[in-house]
Amino acid sequence: MSRVAIIGAGAVGCYYGARLAEAGHEVHFVLRREYDAVAARGLHVHSKDGDFHLARPLIARSAAEVGPVDWVLCALKATALEEARELLAPCVGSGTRVLALMNGLGVEERFADWFGPARIFGGLAFTCINRGEPGHVHHLDYGAVTLGHLEDDAAELDAAGALWTGARVETSTAPSLLAARWQKLCWNIPFNGLAVTAGGITTDVILASPALRAATEATMREVVAAGNADLGARGQQARLDPDSVVAAMMSATDAMAAYSPSTMIDFVEGQPMEVEAIFGEPLRRAQALGVPVPHIALLTAQMRALDARRGD
Amino acid sequence: MSRVAIIGAGAVGCYYGARLAEAGHEVHFVLRREYDAVAARGLHVHSKDGDFHLARPLIARSAAEVGPVDWVLCALKATALEEARELLAPCVGSGTRVLALMNGLGVEERFADWFGPARIFGGLAFTCINRGEPGHVHHLDYGAVTLGHLEDDAAELDAAGALWTGARVETSTAPSLLAARWQKLCWNIPFNGLAVTAGGITTDVILASPALRAATEATMREVVAAGNADLGARGQQARLDPDSVVAAMMSATDAMAAYSPSTMIDFVEGQPMEVEAIFGEPLRRAQALGVPVPHIALLTAQMRALDARRGD
């Protein structure tokens, strides 16, 4: 069993942390706003796979109270990326591994700047988890996590997989973390972007409009082109196939119920949106490599403007 | 002096109709909601060029009360285009000319379907005019009108110019109405589109963002390309020069105070937006001619979705 610290214990962090605790790991939740509620009544997980309750989870008000662990699971919003170094550091000892369960591009590279690349992993969560009242998490749908290692080290990937053995979370491993990040962006850039810029709409509304559908597919192809150029520039062999990506993502999304992308929820709730991680960094890489990405550029410009107007 | 009917007597129709009345023409305003207010207190124009007041304007509740005139000035919103035939018909006699003082592409062609092309003119207003309380119009800035004839007939253009002689409106004539329509779209598509999709922002906010500025220019170049293809396909010699258009429009807009495009005002007020005239018809023509217009396509898709959500 591993000693685990959950940093950024919002809905996603609490859910996956609770699954690891349920599997027997020693999981420390670093809490701020929700500390008192969880101290008093524990952590309630309302899951489509069955509810469960951690009556006495290990909780702390700061990472320093926890100290070095085997695994740091960081589920901060990408908008808080630059705060992560200070938040994580007290838990990172010589043998610590760090799993960034966060959205977008460039997160693991930033973690590597601070803690070295060999210990850095990325987790791509395909899920729908919302916060309820303090101490309550609602796991509504999906839940699978794809695990990757920043240096794509096979033995390290095995170690990441081993952490989740016995936990009630469907996991898989990605031979190329970077390819997996770009593949997920093929979904997030068009769907998160259009869901916001078209007025706060769900995926079914996007798919029902021929014009938005066409924009979705055209945007996906730009993300594939940018991703392949980025993979090539970084010496990776992995490539995304545009037709397969478009076909698979469109048919999977057609089969989904109306879904609210996380950025759309942030938009509607007036919260900061993960614009730079999901849009800005992919756009910067595409432009640096000379890949034409008009849809990504326009969506990024709109998202930045909309994000700047939060609270107006 | 001419006998003139104003159909669609909102802020723009009332303003230009009042200017023609001020110049001595027999101007009949066809009013619905504002009839009683104007009957009781006349028409008040609050203008940056000096206020004036028509104490007893000629008003009617329907075009049938007015009957055939020399000039119909139609200032309906483009969203009401299909209602225009019935609204205009009672005023259109054998010698009547029709001036469409409306936004977007395809309006004059539709009028020609109904009334024949020889009598159809387009007016492109570069202005900022808002409705005030009933019977009051606020002319805030600009005000020039470019006049064109659907068949670009020089003698007819002279007749249109003559109508405005003596009126306190700066007018010019366009040798190609179609080129003038496309040139105006070079401004309206990016600025109206981005002002809405980036959250209801004014032109100065667009220009202050490098990403939105780049999107504006890229969109303008697509509109120029689509316009030139459309002009060529219709056997016209006129062409727009992309560099000149971009340079002129960007510097003119940089020099303007914060401006709210009409579509942005509609968006913020929850009114129907002129999506098909300003975005949909240009996009259809571009796509039919095989011109790549990713920015126009994406903006159109977003605008349609936002327009469909009015009242949600």
Side-chain angles (χ1 to χ4, degrees):
Chain A
M1 292 293 110
S2 295
R3 199 169 131 81
V4 180
I6 310 293
I7 309 287
V12 167
C14 281
Y15 175 75
Y16 288 105
R19 287 296 185 193
L20 290 174
E22 186 188 38
H25 293 291
E26 179 190 322
V27 179
H28 298 260
F29 297 85
V30 178
L31 300 172
R32 288 191 274 197
R33 277 179 308 178
E34 307 219 347
Y35 185 95
D36 292 335
V38 176
R41 292 178 298 279
L43 187 59
H44 294 260
V45 177
H46 309 269
S47 170
K48 67 164 183 88
D49 301 328
D51 298 352
F52 66 103
H53 177 222
L54 302 181
R56 295 176 186 281
L58 301 169
I59 60 178
R61 291 191 190 271
S62 74
E65 291 176 36
V66 180
V69 295
D70 300 314
W71 280 93
V72 174
L73 195 163
C74 178
L76 290 166
K77 263 181 95 165
T79 50
L81 178 57
E82 290 306 312
E83 299 163 42
R85 181 180 197 165
E86 196 175 337
L87 291 170
L88 267 65
C91 293
V92 179
S94 60
T96 302
R97 294 179 170 103
V98 177
L99 173 62
L101 201 65
M102 297 170 65
N103 285 324
L105 204 62
V107 170
E108 294 88 0
E109 288 85 343
R110 198 79 185 107
F111 280 20
D113 292 340
W114 304 326
F115 307 118
R119 66 171 88 230
I120 306 299
F121 298 73
L124 295 73
F126 298 82
T127 188
C128 184
I129 300 172
N130 296 328
R131 185 193 295 269
E133 56 181 304
H136 289 255
V137 168
H138 297 269
H139 170 223
L140 302 173
D141 216 344
Y142 313 101
V145 174
T146 298
L147 301 164
H149 179 254
L150 181 54
E151 297 185 322
D152 298 326
D153 182 293
E156 286 297 317
L157 266 184
D158 287 345
L163 171 68
W164 296 89
T165 302
R168 293 185 59 194
V169 174
E170 185 191 332
T171 61
S172 58
T173 54
S176 162
L177 173 63
L178 187 61
R181 282 285 178 209
W182 277 106
Q183 178 151 6
K184 189 154 193 280
L185 288 169
C186 289
W187 196 95
N188 285 131
I189 290 177
F191 281 108
N192 292 35
L194 291 171
V196 170
T197 59
I201 61 180
T202 44
T203 50
D204 56 317
V205 180
I206 293 171
L207 295 171
S209 151
L212 290 174
R213 228 188 142 86
T216 300
E217 295 193 13
T219 307
M220 261 181 212
R221 288 179 189 279
E222 290 179 7
V223 182
V224 169
N228 284 341
D230 190 38
L231 287 161
R234 286 160 198 262
Q236 296 222 7
Q237 301 302 313
R239 293 293 182 275
L240 304 175
D241 177 64
D243 293 337
S244 309
V245 166
V246 168
M249 293 206 172
M250 296 307 283
S251 64
T253 314
D254 278 326
M256 280 161 57
Y259 183 78
S260 299
S262 61
T263 316
M264 184 277 247
I265 295 174
D266 287 337
F267 174 66
V268 169
E269 294 182 350
Q271 295 299 316
M273 297 190 286
E274 297 178 314
V275 176
E276 293 311 312
I278 298 179
F279 299 88
E281 179 63 16
L283 175 63
R284 274 187 289 276
R285 293 193 190 182
Q287 290 179 332
L289 294 164
V291 181
V293 287
H295 290 80
I296 301 175
L298 182 48
L299 286 170
T300 304
Q302 294 168 325
M303 294 296 296
R304 284 181 180 150
L306 289 168
D307 194 52
R309 286 174 62 72
R310 278 174 303 110
D312 275 22
Chain B
M1 291 295 109
S2 294
R3 200 169 130 79
V4 180
I6 310 293
I7 309 288
V12 168
C14 281
Y15 174 75
Y16 288 105
R19 287 295 184 194
L20 290 174
E22 186 188 40
H25 292 293
E26 178 190 323
V27 179
H28 298 260
F29 297 84
V30 178
L31 301 171
R32 289 191 276 197
R33 277 178 308 177
E34 306 219 346
Y35 185 95
D36 293 335
V38 176
R41 293 179 296 279
L43 188 59
H44 294 261
V45 177
H46 308 268
S47 171
K48 69 167 182 82
D49 301 326
D51 298 351
F52 66 103
H53 177 222
L54 302 181
R56 295 175 186 281
L58 301 168
I59 61 176
R61 290 191 190 271
S62 73
E65 290 176 35
V66 180
V69 294
D70 299 315
W71 280 94
V72 175
L73 196 163
C74 178
L76 290 165
K77 260 181 97 164
T79 50
L81 178 57
E82 291 305 313
E83 299 163 40
R85 180 181 199 164
E86 196 175 337
L87 292 169
L88 268 66
C91 292
V92 179
S94 60
T96 303
R97 293 180 171 100
V98 177
L99 174 61
L101 201 64
M102 296 169 66
N103 286 324
L105 203 63
V107 170
E108 294 88 1
E109 288 85 342
R110 197 80 186 106
F111 280 20
D113 292 340
W114 305 326
F115 307 119
R119 66 171 89 231
I120 307 299
F121 298 75
L124 294 73
F126 299 81
T127 188
C128 184
I129 301 172
N130 296 329
R131 186 194 294 272
E133 56 181 302
H136 289 256
V137 168
H138 296 269
H139 171 221
L140 302 174
D141 217 343
Y142 313 99
V145 174
T146 298
L147 300 163
H149 179 252
L150 182 54
E151 297 183 322
D152 298 325
D153 181 293
E156 287 296 318
L157 265 185
D158 287 346
L163 171 68
W164 296 88
T165 303
R168 295 184 58 195
V169 173
E170 183 192 334
T171 61
S172 59
T173 54
S176 163
L177 173 61
L178 188 60
R181 283 285 178 209
W182 276 106
Q183 180 151 7
K184 188 153 194 281
L185 289 170
C186 289
W187 197 94
N188 284 131
I189 291 177
F191 281 107
N192 292 34
L194 291 172
V196 170
T197 58
I201 60 179
T202 45
T203 51
D204 56 317
V205 180
I206 293 171
L207 294 171
S209 151
L212 289 175
R213 227 186 144 87
T216 299
E217 295 194 11
T219 306
M220 262 181 209
R221 289 179 188 277
E222 290 180 8
V223 183
V224 169
N228 284 341
D230 191 38
L231 287 161
R234 288 162 197 261
Q236 296 220 9
Q237 301 302 313
R239 295 290 182 278
L240 305 175
D241 177 65
D243 292 337
S244 308
V245 166
V246 168
M249 293 207 171
M250 296 306 285
S251 65
T253 314
D254 278 326
M256 281 161 57
Y259 183 78
S260 300
S262 60
T263 316
M264 184 277 246
I265 295 173
D266 287 338
F267 174 67
V268 169
E269 294 182 348
Q271 297 298 316
M273 298 190 287
E274 298 179 314
V275 176
E276 292 310 312
I278 297 178
F279 299 87
E281 180 63 15
L283 175 63
R284 273 186 290 276
R285 293 193 191 183
Q287 290 179 332
L289 294 165
V291 181
V293 287
H295 290 80
I296 302 175
L298 182 49
L299 287 170
T300 304
Q302 293 167 325
M303 293 297 294
R304 284 181 179 150
L306 290 167
D307 195 51
R309 286 173 64 73
R310 278 176 301 111
D312 275 21

